[in-house]
């Protein structure tokens, strides 16, 4: 399958390949399903599938949603011969709230001193293009104020995110707050969304519709 694209794939040192495999296995060992991403080749990604038109970061497997696995042994086989990116499907172990850098830093600073403590603090990753991604407990939709806000993207079922140490053309995806720092715990989505709403309003963004007092979604109990 790879015969026609192998020469174009970015050359990684054996150490880098081992690191990608070990990190992917670590995610899987903590119950986070993993799927291999297309390999970086100069400024585009190649997956080896004949006729694939996608040049940006994308899953290497056509049936990635079904193939995604949290079995460390199975995950290890995907990274034995190719320097795949590490992709994490969302809507399973976690959802993701994606925001631009200026909001991401504001929200991260706010959650560090939030009275809810660990209930609002969790893993946060940053892409080299300046997108901040807050991992939260899965299943909660966006609050009405955020549904039509172009600053915020919720990744749920059917989506995925690139995880550290995946390399993009602009650089490497990194953790601003690593899972180990958060003890692999996920914060309540609505607590993070409330903090995000405060950050948006503090920067002058008008959000509508406002929810009436007493109709605010309540944080869910930890799972």
């Amino acid at each position: 399958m790879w015969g026609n694209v192998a020469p174009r794939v970015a050359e990684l040192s054996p150490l880098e390949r081992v690191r990608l495999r070990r990190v992917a296995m670590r995610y899987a060992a903590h119950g986070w399903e993993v799927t291999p991403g297309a390999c970086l080749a100069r400024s585009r990604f190649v997956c080896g599938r004949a006729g694939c038109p996608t040049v940006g970061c994308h899953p290497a497997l056509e049936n990635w949603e079904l193939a995604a696995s949290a079995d460390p042994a199975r995950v290890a086989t995907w990274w034995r011969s190719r320097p795949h990116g590490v992709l994490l499907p969302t809507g399973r172990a976690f959802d993701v709230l994606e925001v631009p850098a200026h909001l991401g830093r504001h929200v991260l600073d706010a959650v560090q001193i939030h009275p809810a403590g660990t209930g609002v603090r969790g893993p946060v990753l940053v892409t080299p293009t300046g997108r901040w991604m807050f991992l939260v407990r899965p299943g909660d939709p966006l609050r009405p104020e955020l549904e039509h806000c172009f600053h915020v993207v919720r990744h749920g079922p059917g989506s995925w995110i690139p995880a550290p140490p995946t390399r993009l053309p602009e650089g490497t995806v990194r953790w601003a707050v690593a899972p180990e720092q958060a003890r692999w715990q996920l914060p309540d989505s609505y607590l993070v969304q409330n903090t995000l709403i405060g950050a948006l309003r503090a920067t002058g963004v008008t959000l509508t519709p406002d929810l009436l007092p007493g109709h605010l979604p309540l944080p869910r109990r930890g799972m």
Side-chain angles (χ1 to χ4, degrees), residues 26-27 32 121-125 135 164 174-185:
R26 187 170 78 245
Y27 295 146
W32 290 6
R121 300 171 198 160
V124 183
L125 67 82
L135 278 63
R174 65 179 178 84
W175 289 109
V177 179
E180 293 83 359
Q181 291 176 274
R183 299 182 180 180
W184 295 89
Q185 299 298 306

Side-chain angles (χ1 to χ4, degrees), residues 7-18:
R8 301 164 54 196
V9 173
E11 289 295 328
L12 297 181
S13 70
L15 182 61
E16 288 176 294
R17 292 193 183 207
V18 168

